[in-house]
């Protein structure tokens, strides 16, 4: 059974930084594209960043240049470094396999507010 456990969310002021972590168990991530998603209140879940098995990354426009996704295949972990945070980044953040999502974890709450 695949499990995804996200952590690292917090309340930060605008301009602050956070590093999210995602621990994957039950399946090796090394041959999969992994992604971070977020869901703000009243909105649908959207993908934010993805990284393929070669380390190539893609981001949605609003986070380009501010967020950095990374992976550690040996540890079966995925990370999201978030800098220059804005109030509109407030959401619950999730990780998952990009092309074939497994059951979602509980996510981690990121709140950007002064």
């Amino acid at each position: 059974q695949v499990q995804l456990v996200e952590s690292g969310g917090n309340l930060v002021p605008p301009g602050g930084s956070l590093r999210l972590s995602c621990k994957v168990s039950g399946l090796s991530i090394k041959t999969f594209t992994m992604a971070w998603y977020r869901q703000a209140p009243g909105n649908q879940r959207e993908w934010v960043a993805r990284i393929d098995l070669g380390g190539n990354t893609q981001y949605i426009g609003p986070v380009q240049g501010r967020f950095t996704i990374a992976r550690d295949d040996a540890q079966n972990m995925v990370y999201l470094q978030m800098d220059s945070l804005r109030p509109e980044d407030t959401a619950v953040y999730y990780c998952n396999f990009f092309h074939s999502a497994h059951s979602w974890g509980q996510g981690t709450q990121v709140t950007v507010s002064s």
Side-chain angles (χ1 to χ4, degrees):
Q1 181 180 353
V2 178
Q3 288 189 317
L4 303 117
V5 179
E6 301 89 352
S7 62
N10 210 331
L11 169 65
V12 295
S17 296
L18 282 174
R19 185 183 190 230
L20 306 184
S21 299
C22 173
K23 176 63 178 175
V24 183
S25 60
L27 180 63
S28 172
I29 69 170
K30 65 182 179 181
T31 60
F32 293 95
T33 296
M34 300 300 295
W36 281 94
Y37 300 78
R38 67 186 179 187
Q39 186 168 20
N43 290 358
Q44 290 191 332
R45 186 179 289 144
E46 62 175 351
W47 78 269
V48 173
R50 64 190 192 203
I51 182 168
D52 69 16
L53 60 161
N56 301 300
T57 58
Q58 284 186 286
Y59 303 89
I60 59 171
V63 310
Q64 182 78 43
R66 300 188 298 120
F67 289 12
T68 304
I69 187 172
R71 63 191 295 156
D72 183 338
D73 292 346
Q75 298 295 321
N76 234 35
M77 298 282 293
V78 187
Y79 303 97
L80 186 68
Q81 176 67 40
M82 305 188 296
D83 299 315
S84 302
L85 282 161
R86 304 168 180 170
E88 54 263 39
D89 296 319
T90 295
V92 179
Y93 284 72
Y94 305 86
C95 71
N96 215 318
F97 295 76
F98 182 74
H99 293 294
S100 54
H102 289 265
S103 296
W104 296 90
Q106 83 287 350
T108 188
Q109 176 71 50
V110 172
T111 303
V112 185
S113 175
S114 54

